[in-house]
Amino acid sequence: MRHSLVPTALRYADQVARSGSIQKAARELHVAASAINRQILALEEELGVPLFERMPRGMRLTASGDALITMARRWRQDETRMVAEVRRIQGIHQGHVSLVAMDSHATGVLPALIEALNAQHPLVSLSVELSTPDDAETALMTGKADLAAIFNLAPRRELLVLWQAQLPLGCVVAPGHALAGRKSVSFQEATAYPIALQSRAITIRRLLEAQFSWLFKDARGFVESNSLQLVKQLALGGQRLIFTSQLDVAPELAAGTLVFIPIRDQGAEPQSISVAVDATRPPGPVVKLVAQQLSQALQASLDRARQPIPGLA
């Protein structure tokens, strides 16, 4: 839309909150800083409360400002849904969707999703942010994202799950690793070898610590990182193993460069991947479209990962 239905003052305040200062917001919006400042001052005067704390090096939202900006972002999402609905009535799939996904989706699922959308629905635009599961939940509930793909999403009434798949927990190694030929493996057997661990920022690590705390009490050396890509590279090197799901390493499993071995210990519960939206804001047609495409891309990635590799089956 050429003109937004959300008031100018709210749009300016939102950009200041995102940018952290009026000067940065002015550069992003291509508007004079004085014009932004006037709009915010007028809004604060009208509401009778300060929306920002004026800091020496920028602007920080007050509690009142945070509440207002959260509502303003929801209004902008509503506006996007309204425009998308009008386009749908006209027979046109057009709109923008903000998606939060996991780090592991960057090398398989997301490229497939983006290419499918570009080929089938070129008028749908997408912004993608990679995040931790905890931050992805927050992004949905605060209106910063329309849609999210989240590992191990706990049931909560604020979020509506549109699609979900179970992900057995496994030990992942390179084909030349000593464990590569096993049909299953126990944690006790796996810990005889060097391990690359995902950090506590990742839910699978916290779940492992809750169920198998003894894994982390041994003084032997191990490497940990919040980067799945680094952890995978260490496994690809042939010496270290990782504990994760098939989806985390789907491209490598499909290519035969890594091998997935199920964990047989009792208590090694399956993980999950969910496609979810804010339950208080029913998804519009464009969000539903992207959610469907995302779910298909996730399932296709899992299907490819689970296909036996000739010579390794």
Side-chain angles (χ1 to χ4, degrees):
M1 293 181 66
R2 184 182 298 272
H3 301 290
S4 175
L5 299 178
V6 178
T8 300
L10 289 179
R11 289 187 282 113
Y12 285 2
D14 183 15
Q15 188 58 56
V16 171
R18 295 178 189 274
S19 302
S21 76
I22 289 179
Q23 293 296 333
K24 290 180 181 178
R27 289 194 292 269
E28 291 289 334
L29 295 171
H30 306 288
V31 175
S34 58
I36 294 176
N37 190 48
R38 283 197 301 272
Q39 290 280 354
I40 291 176
L41 289 174
L43 187 58
E44 289 179 323
E45 183 177 354
E46 181 178 352
L47 295 173
V49 294
L51 301 177
F52 290 92
E53 294 179 41
R54 273 68 174 176
M55 314 292 289
R57 295 186 179 180
M59 306 272 279
R60 184 170 64 191
L61 284 171
T62 63
S64 298
D66 185 64
L68 184 68
I69 295 304
T70 296
M71 184 174 293
R73 288 171 180 170
R74 290 187 182 276
W75 287 348
R76 297 190 77 167
Q77 287 184 315
D78 288 342
E79 179 184 55
T80 300
R81 294 188 184 100
M82 180 272 293
V83 173
E85 178 64 16
V86 170
R87 297 295 186 183
R88 186 192 66 78
I89 293 171
Q90 294 174 328
I92 302 171
H93 274 120
Q94 177 175 325
H96 181 80
V97 175
S98 175
L99 167 66
V100 180
M102 306 292 97
D103 181 37
S104 62
H105 301 154
T107 56
V109 172
L110 292 175
L113 169 67
I114 291 167
E115 290 306 316
L117 283 174
N118 184 61
Q120 300 170 32
H121 306 283
L123 297 181
V124 174
S125 61
L126 188 68
S127 62
V128 180
E129 181 174 343
L130 300 182
S131 176
T132 65
D134 293 341
D135 289 343
E137 287 187 41
T138 300
L140 278 184
M141 292 189 294
T142 57
K144 294 180 180 178
D146 302 306
L147 180 68
I150 306 177
F151 281 123
N152 302 312
L153 179 63
R156 51 192 312 164
R157 61 184 180 182
E158 298 93 343
L159 299 179
L160 173 65
V161 174
L162 304 177
W163 176 89
Q164 188 175 74
Q166 295 299 303
L167 306 171
L169 181 62
C171 170
V172 175
V173 297
H177 194 279
L179 295 175
R182 299 285 192 91
K183 297 298 183 183
S184 66
V185 67
S186 69
F187 281 122
Q188 188 69 49
E189 293 166 338
T191 53
Y193 301 90
I195 301 173
L197 291 168
Q198 298 184 59
S199 73
R200 292 174 180 84
I202 311 301
T203 53
I204 192 170
R205 168 67 181 275
R206 301 201 296 268
L207 290 170
L208 284 174
E209 287 189 338
Q211 294 293 324
F212 303 96
S213 59
W214 60 267
L215 280 170
F216 310 96
K217 292 180 180 178
D218 196 332
R220 62 184 163 67
F222 59 76
V223 175
E224 67 175 34
S225 173
N226 67 344
S227 168
L228 177 65
Q229 305 309 322
L230 173 58
V231 170
K232 286 199 292 186
Q233 287 300 314
L234 293 172
L236 286 164
Q239 298 300 313
R240 293 184 179 271
L241 60 84
I242 59 178
F243 299 123
T244 192
S245 70
Q246 290 163 314
L247 189 58
D248 272 345
V249 290
E252 293 80 9
L253 294 179
T257 55
L258 287 175
V259 177
F260 180 87
I261 311 160
I263 297 289
R264 63 172 179 267
D265 297 61
Q266 289 187 351
E269 298 294 333
Q271 310 302 292
S272 67
I273 178 66
S274 303
V275 174
V277 296
D278 182 351
T280 67
R281 297 280 175 174
V286 176
V287 175
K288 287 182 180 178
L289 171 69
V290 176
Q292 181 182 33
Q293 296 272 3
L294 174 60
S295 302
Q296 292 172 352
L298 286 163
Q299 187 62 60
S301 182
L302 274 173
D303 290 343
R304 287 191 298 270
R306 290 166 176 169
Q307 288 292 321
I309 302 296
L312 293 178

